[in-house]
Amino acid sequence: MSLAPYDEQMGQIADLLCAVNVLHWDARTLMPAAGAAARGKQIATLTGLARDLATGEPFRAALDAALEVTAALPADDLSRRAIDQTRLAVETLRRIPKSLIVEAADLAARAESAWVEARRTNDFDGFAPYLERTVALQRQRAEAIGYAEHPYDALVGQYEPGMTLARLDTLYATLRAGLLPLIERARSLPEPRLDLLRGPFPIPDQKAFASAMAARMGYDFARGRLDDTAHPFEISFDRTDVRITGRFRDTWLPSGFFGVWHEAGHGMYEQGLDPAFSRSIFATDLVGLYAVGGASFGMHESQSRLWENRVGRSRRFWALHCAEARAAFPRQLADADADSLWRAVNHVAPGLIRVEADELTYDLHIMFRTDLEAALMAGDLAVRDLPGAWSDMVRRDLGLDVPNHRDGVLQDVHWAAGLMGSFPTYTLGNVMSSQLFAAAGRDAGVTSGLERGDYAPLAAWLGANVHRHGRSLTPDAILRRATGSSLDPAPYLADLTRKVDQLAA
């Protein structure tokens, strides 16, 4: 009895899903708007084929044989872990009807194109029918997967195994209690020199500086590329081809810089997958039918938020790289100093746009999105009432009025893409990022590297403790091995408290 049939069929599934990712990347970067309907059919066809392979009798037989072969191996053996994870994922996938998977894949491609136009024209009513059907399909998906307490549990659990709405509520309560006093304190501080960030900054120059710094952090452009899009994302087809995108504005420098470094963190995770895992379960989400190597969306976000915030927004970073920024923008930053730039990029002020939010208010955006998604899944909120509910929560949590749909309910692509339940993973990633950064900081080589602007030791530490494992370990197992504890918000709140203390000094 051999593992060869299992390996071959698992590789075929992964190849199909990598092809789907190529189609998604093209749709979000280069495809003409008129191609959306045909692209939806193409993606649906390939996704359906991947589902057929994963749930068909040939793969069932290959999986059963592989389970028998590996049963005698140690519990932590790589092959045994891979095959057991496949078994669990396929059991869940079989509960989701193929018709539901195919329709959702087709809808997402068309809905994303409709969202781009709706956002451009501020037309929520034009997008609403797509969102209504998306919500209906997501409810069906939750029922098919099954849940103990709330339909939202089934959705968020796809992106973060074991996570539930009840657990999120507990975490959010802890974070709110710590964040709100910090936000109030930070907002009482004198306003920094925000004029330094308002430009105009030529977009090609922004791209050049952001890309050079991403490469220094460890993103390998020989196995990646940077493109423009309406909403930044990272996507991989294999560890040898991992692409990132950005969204730049010539009137606001931080959005381009931090967006690229955020996506580069995602990209480094996928590029850091152990080569032995290619074309395997470790590079394929069989429940979501998505080619991705990270252990979970939350663990993925931990990498992007770590590079964006723990490194890119640190005082040390701007002390080291202020001169390079001035050289890149000699006219705009002629009188900028390191401290002024650091204070400017860490200015705390509630804003409408999540991807441009400061560290302290960012999680408030995630919390109210979670509330809205849970209400939609429970049937307590209708899509037609979503803009009003959004505005009410922005006023409640951020103290702002929402002037239009573009900067409100239409600002994120996630619902168009069918990613309902994924928003909490950003906050989970924030929490994990601080835990991992603190653990990495106990390595003298990492610390000395950061002090001199050498990011290779930190990248290597993350590669060894997070990236290389792919999906062979659960997020909790990775955290425990790397940091010694499960999910814990204390290091995150400690990081933010130190940041406010520094800003106040």
Side-chain angles (χ1 to χ4, degrees):
M1 197 171 295
S2 168
L3 294 178
Y6 166 84
D7 290 338
E8 179 62 26
Q9 292 187 54
M10 191 66 239
Q12 290 174 1
I13 295 167
D15 288 344
L16 277 173
L17 296 178
C18 284
V20 169
N21 276 9
V22 174
L23 294 177
H24 278 302
W25 173 83
D26 178 74
R28 296 176 184 178
T29 56
L30 298 173
M31 185 189 76
R39 181 57 48 87
K41 298 297 184 186
Q42 295 157 6
I43 291 172
T45 295
L46 293 180
T47 303
L49 289 172
R51 196 264 182 192
D52 286 344
L53 283 177
T55 59
E57 284 305 317
F59 189 62
R60 183 195 297 267
L63 178 57
D64 287 344
L67 288 165
E68 186 174 343
V69 169
T70 58
L73 297 175
D76 63 348
D77 179 84
L78 184 64
S79 296
R80 180 169 176 172
R81 288 205 312 260
I83 290 161
D84 195 50
Q85 291 236 16
T86 304
R87 176 186 60 81
L88 294 171
V90 171
E91 286 175 359
T92 300
L93 181 61
R94 286 176 180 147
R95 295 199 293 269
I96 307 172
K98 178 183 177 181
S99 59
L100 177 57
I101 289 172
V102 170
E103 182 181 354
D106 180 18
L107 175 64
R110 292 183 290 111
E112 284 187 45
S113 180
W115 168 79
V116 171
E117 179 62 15
R119 186 174 182 273
R120 186 184 70 81
T121 59
N122 195 42
D123 181 17
F124 178 78
D125 289 341
F127 178 66
Y130 295 94
L131 185 53
E132 286 172 342
R133 187 57 187 157
T134 297
V135 169
L137 293 178
Q138 291 299 310
R139 286 176 180 162
Q140 292 176 36
R141 187 178 182 90
E143 294 300 325
I145 292 173
Y147 54 88
E149 296 182 5
H150 195 285
Y152 195 63
D153 296 347
L155 300 186
V156 73
Q158 297 175 106
Y159 304 106
E160 201 63 33
M163 189 53 60
T164 65
L165 183 59
R167 287 187 65 195
L168 287 170
D169 286 342
T170 299
L171 174 65
Y172 289 171
T174 299
L175 290 176
R176 274 186 184 277
L179 287 171
L180 294 180
L182 288 174
I183 293 170
E184 183 177 358
R185 183 180 170 209
R187 294 194 68 195
S188 71
L189 301 175
E191 183 172 283
R193 285 195 58 193
L194 297 179
D195 63 291
L196 295 173
L197 307 179
R198 292 193 175 118
F201 295 96
I203 288 176
D205 294 340
Q206 290 188 51
K207 287 183 179 178
F209 184 85
S211 297
M213 197 58 64
R216 190 178 303 184
M217 290 172 177
Y219 179 71
D220 183 0
F221 277 94
R223 295 184 288 149
R225 56 181 289 131
L226 172 65
D227 293 279
D228 296 327
T229 191
H231 190 100
F233 66 95
E234 168 273 327
I235 198 163
S236 66
F237 319 127
D238 178 83
R239 63 184 299 277
T240 62
D241 188 351
V242 181
R243 307 183 188 187
I244 62 175
T245 63
R247 184 173 69 194
F248 298 87
R249 288 193 288 147
D250 62 3
T251 56
W252 187 244
L253 193 62
S255 59
F257 280 6
F258 292 107
V260 169
W261 301 337
H262 177 103
E263 300 305 335
H266 283 303
M268 290 160 65
Y269 194 169
E270 295 294 312
Q271 290 178 339
L273 193 67
D274 191 304
F277 298 163
S278 295
R279 300 183 84 242
S280 75
I281 182 62
F282 299 111
T284 306
D285 172 8
L286 280 179
V287 177
L289 291 174
Y290 179 57
V292 60
S296 71
F297 275 45
M299 188 58 70
H300 237 296
E301 289 302 328
S302 77
Q303 302 307 286
S304 59
R305 298 295 280 176
L306 186 153
W307 287 103
E308 175 188 1
N309 292 328
R310 302 280 70 78
V311 175
R313 281 193 167 90
S314 69
R315 192 171 206 162
R316 175 172 47 203
F317 180 91
W318 289 100
L320 288 165
H321 303 300
C322 176
E324 295 169 71
R326 282 201 306 265
F329 305 99
R331 181 176 61 82
Q332 298 90 336
L333 300 181
D335 63 341
D337 59 77
D339 190 67
S340 296
L341 280 173
W342 169 73
R343 291 181 183 278
V345 299
N346 284 286
H347 179 50
V348 176
L352 294 170
I353 307 301
R354 174 186 62 85
V355 297
E356 297 179 2
D358 59 81
E359 278 193 89
L360 271 70
T361 62
Y362 183 93
D363 293 301
L364 300 180
H365 288 264
I366 300 304
M367 292 176 194
F368 79 71
R369 283 163 172 77
T370 300
D371 290 343
L372 292 172
E373 288 188 331
L376 286 168
M377 286 302 99
D380 298 330
L381 176 65
V383 167
R384 67 177 177 275
D385 298 324
L386 191 54
W390 182 288
S391 295
D392 290 344
M393 289 191 174
V394 169
R395 192 174 298 112
R396 179 198 70 186
D397 288 351
L398 299 170
L400 301 173
D401 291 323
V402 179
N404 54 57
H405 298 315
R406 181 178 56 253
D407 294 331
V409 71
L410 288 176
Q411 69 177 264
D412 292 305
V413 72
H414 298 63
W415 292 339
L419 297 176
M420 198 155 287
S422 67
F423 274 122
T425 62
Y426 289 101
T427 288
L428 295 171
N430 281 337
V431 172
M432 293 180 193
S433 73
S434 285
Q435 290 182 259
L436 291 165
F437 193 67
R442 295 193 284 270
D443 184 309
V446 170
T447 301
S448 63
L450 290 172
E451 290 297 333
R452 62 180 185 274
D454 178 6
Y455 303 111
L458 175 59
W461 189 95
L462 293 168
N465 289 278
V466 179
H467 304 168
R468 71 181 181 88
H469 296 299
R471 304 178 68 82
S472 69
L473 294 173
T474 65
D476 185 67
I478 291 173
L479 271 182
R480 285 181 176 275
R481 288 187 178 203
T483 73
S485 69
S486 294
L487 189 72
D488 179 7
Y492 179 50
L493 290 173
D495 278 338
L496 296 182
T497 300
R498 274 191 296 273
K499 176 70 68 67
V500 176
D501 287 344
Q502 290 176 342
L503 290 169

